[in-house]
Amino acid sequence: MKKVFLILTLLAISVGCNKKIKAEALKQNTETVMACAKEGVTLQILGSGGPAAGNGRASTGYLVWADGKPLVMIDAGGGTYLRLQQAGAHMGDIAFLGISHLHPDHASELPALLWSDIFSNRSAPLNVSGPAGEGSDGLTGFLKAVNDMATPIDAFTRINAIEVIPQKDSVITVYKDDLMEITAIGVNHANKPTLAYKVTIQNKRIVFGADQTLDSPGFIEFTKGADLLVLHLAISEEAAEPFTNLHAKPLKVGTAAQQSGVQRLVLSHLMKLDSAHLRAKEFSLWDINSNLKLVKDNYQGAILLAEDLECIPL
Ligand SMILES: [Zn+2]
């Protein structure tokens, strides 16, 4: 009898502890605000992962702060809706949202973000850009699907949609106002229309390389003069097709960064598959130290490995 009582007591304590742990975790989730500096320009990582779930990373997304305002968001992969709140950012303050391409790990939170923006105190339309393409490969087709999803609410009432033809040999000015300039160039990511963006604010330039194989004709020239270059390290040197049609291997990432002349490189879109997966070794986080070494073999500048919510001042 004493034994049964002891077991029941331990069970009760354990359930109580679990409830407390869950409540604490929830509190942390809702209250964590990773605020960046209130002055100057800062890049904040919203999502440092790719399409495979795991490793605690949201899919791809970046936020550019200027003097404490989150002015520009690039990409909106799964998880960035929550990360944006954890960053202490409000949709109503974002002036420009650029989508590199319409794969789910870069665009799946777009419906949620546009839906939430209906409730923001926005004073001017949200500028949303993305590549031109067939059907949902293009921004217009994708936004039409989002709007159909939102019926009977018109989700487009405060959006200025900017569809950009992803030309690979000439730079396009996507958006410009008193605070910022956004330019773009097309890059190779299999057959998916894809844009790399350059964000210029307060004379600081950040290039977001997007998913690509780093062999499109105009990209290196596009990166020249950047203060910060964000490249995606999704795969390892052992990777094979179809992944090599979508992403560059570490040695090539290092070569491109070196050719760009950029002093600081952020590596993001880091990927880890379940270790039992037959192709797990083809992804960057399988052995990140070896992959980083390969990037460093070809690149002499500073390398930062992206982590969700990290702030990188310029
Ligand atoms: Zn991706």
Side-chain angles (χ1 to χ4, degrees), residues 155-172:
F156 284 180
T157 51
R158 295 188 298 174
I159 292 177
N160 175 35
I162 309 163
E163 199 173 62
V164 180
I165 296 170
Q167 293 171 337
K168 293 171 186 169
D169 52 4
S170 63
V171 178
I172 308 120

Side-chain angles (χ1 to χ4, degrees), residues 1-68:
M1 188 65 186
K2 261 186 184 173
K3 208 173 178 182
V4 172
F5 178 75
L6 183 65
I7 290 168
L8 285 174
T9 308
L10 286 172
L11 264 176
I13 291 169
S14 153
V15 169
C17 281
N18 276 344
K19 269 189 183 167
K20 201 177 166 197
I21 289 165
K22 274 183 189 166
E24 282 296 318
L26 195 64
K27 203 173 156 198
Q28 277 177 14
N29 267 345
T30 49
E31 290 182 2
T32 301
V33 171
M34 297 287 285
C36 295
K38 296 281 180 215
E39 287 178 4
V41 179
T42 304
L43 168 66
Q44 186 166 27
I45 310 293
L46 293 177
S48 57
N55 206 242
R57 296 170 193 271
S59 292
T60 311
Y62 308 102
L63 196 59
V64 183
W65 294 80
D67 294 339

Side-chain angles (χ1 to χ4, degrees), residues 221-232:
E221 192 57 37
F222 183 68
T223 64
K224 301 274 182 189
D227 298 283
L228 198 61
L229 173 61
V230 181
L231 292 181
H232 290 176

Side-chain angles (χ1 to χ4, degrees), residues 198-220:
K198 185 188 289 176
V199 175
T200 306
I201 301 179
Q202 296 178 9
N203 288 323
K204 301 288 184 189
R205 295 175 191 86
I206 310 172
V207 171
F208 296 91
D211 286 359
Q212 60 155 314
T213 46
L214 288 170
D215 51 8
S216 57
F219 180 69
I220 296 299

Side-chain angles (χ1 to χ4, degrees), residues 15-188:
V15 169
C17 281
N18 276 344
K19 269 189 183 167
K20 201 177 166 197
I21 289 165
K22 274 183 189 166
E24 282 296 318
L26 195 64
K27 203 173 156 198
Q28 277 177 14
N29 267 345
T30 49
E31 290 182 2
T32 301
V33 171
M34 297 287 285
C36 295
K38 296 281 180 215
E39 287 178 4
V41 179
T42 304
L43 168 66
Q44 186 166 27
I45 310 293
L46 293 177
S48 57
N55 206 242
R57 296 170 193 271
S59 292
T60 311
Y62 308 102
L63 196 59
V64 183
W65 294 80
D67 294 339
K69 287 252 181 202
L71 291 184
V72 174
M73 182 168 169
I74 301 292
D75 278 342
T80 54
Y81 175 91
L82 179 60
R83 290 282 187 259
L84 203 60
Q85 295 167 66
Q86 291 172 321
H90 300 285
M91 268 310 287
D93 291 329
I94 294 174
F96 180 91
L97 172 51
I99 301 294
S100 63
H101 64 297
L102 293 148
H103 270 152
D105 58 316
H106 299 259
S108 65
E109 293 281 48
L110 193 53
L113 290 168
L114 296 181
W115 191 239
S116 75
D117 194 47
I118 291 169
F119 304 97
S120 79
N121 288 322
R122 171 171 302 288
S123 56
L126 172 64
N127 298 287
V128 182
S129 79
E134 289 286 311
S136 61
D137 268 359
L139 184 71
T140 303
F142 193 92
L143 288 180
K144 185 184 177 309
V146 174
N147 210 34
D148 290 349
M149 203 188 295
T151 302
I153 306 288
D154 186 354
F156 284 180
T157 51
R158 295 188 298 174
I159 292 177
N160 175 35
I162 309 163
E163 199 173 62
V164 180
I165 296 170
Q167 293 171 337
K168 293 171 186 169
D169 52 4
S170 63
V171 178
I172 308 120
T173 300
V174 179
Y175 177 80
K176 195 173 180 177
D177 65 17
D178 294 342
L179 296 173
M180 67 180 102
E181 183 179 27
I182 317 283
T183 55
I185 193 165
V187 293
N188 292 333

